[in-house]
Amino acid sequence: GSVLVTDALSIVGSGSGATRLLPNSDTVDEFGPDAAVLRVDGKTLNISDASLDGNAPTLLIGQFVRYQNGAQGDVTRTSSTYTVYTPTGSNSGAAFVATGPGTVLNVSNSTIDAPGAVGIGYQLGASGKVQGNNFAGGGKGDFIIYGVQVTDGSTNVLISGNSFQNFQGGSGGASSAGVLVSGYDPVADAFTNRAFATIVGNSFSSN
């Protein structure tokens, strides 16, 4: 199930190789609020110097950390691995999700390796900065992975100084990418909600 953060909290580890956050059960859902290991609802959660391990394929994890309803967060010097709900085809799983107006998530100097589908996702008006991170997309295979995904009404996201490598998977005619910016609304199944990101000074290789 989900752990709900109900007050301002900072998780400070001893380094991503020394401190590991590891869930001990599947998340309730694949998508939405109950898909998260840590759910931050209108509060502040900062995470630094720790590893977030989704423990796939042993566990089915929809999202590791979900910021919603005006939540705030700074994530720095972390590593995130194996946050996967379904691994192939219509694959899913996200390391970090920020959703809703007023929600702000900043991620810096971190590593995100082979998430189920999305490393960091911004949607429905959430904003933030993604700076100085390393993203690995899992190489070739029957899956679609995006390093950073900005969709469905989020228009204030800065993506700068990151490295995106090995986003080579594909499925159903679609392809993986280091960064996806799209106005697609999955509920309406139409491109209705404008999305925008500033993308500068990043490196892309083997994509």
Side-chain angles (χ1 to χ4, degrees), residues 143-188:
F143 47 73
I144 302 167
I145 297 176
Y146 302 119
V148 182
Q149 177 175 289
V150 182
T151 59
D152 199 12
S154 284
T155 59
N156 187 19
V157 178
L158 172 65
I159 303 168
S160 68
N162 305 283
S163 172
F164 298 92
Q165 300 178 350
N166 293 322
F167 288 85
Q168 299 177 328
S171 184
S175 300
S176 298
V179 177
L180 172 71
V181 180
S182 173
Y184 181 69
D185 180 350
V187 176

Side-chain angles (χ1 to χ4, degrees), residues 1-116:
S2 298
V3 174
L4 178 61
V5 177
T6 59
D7 207 342
L9 175 66
S10 291
I11 298 174
V12 181
S14 299
S16 61
T19 302
R20 183 170 63 153
L21 305 181
L22 182 68
N24 61 9
S25 64
D26 299 343
T27 55
V28 173
D29 286 333
E30 183 175 1
F31 304 105
D34 291 329
V37 176
L38 296 170
R39 187 170 83 235
V40 191
D41 198 342
K43 304 298 181 180
T44 297
L45 173 63
N46 299 323
I47 306 173
S48 62
D49 299 295
S51 173
L52 287 65
D53 187 347
N55 200 20
T58 302
L59 296 179
L60 303 179
I61 303 298
Q63 303 161 4
F64 208 106
V65 188
R66 179 184 178 92
Y67 293 84
Q68 63 181 33
N69 296 330
Q72 312 280 310
D74 289 321
V75 176
T76 187
R77 298 185 303 278
T78 66
S79 63
S80 303
T81 55
Y82 302 117
T83 303
V84 179
Y85 198 93
T86 54
T88 61
S90 300
N91 50 298
S92 64
F96 299 97
V97 171
T99 183
T103 299
V104 180
L105 170 62
N106 302 314
V107 182
S108 63
N109 301 314
S110 296
T111 298
I112 298 178
D113 187 2

Side-chain angles (χ1 to χ4, degrees), residues 125-148:
S127 62
K129 298 177 181 179
V130 181
Q131 297 177 295
N133 304 288
N134 294 313
F135 293 84
K140 297 179 180 179
D142 181 27
F143 47 73
I144 302 167
I145 297 176
Y146 302 119
V148 182

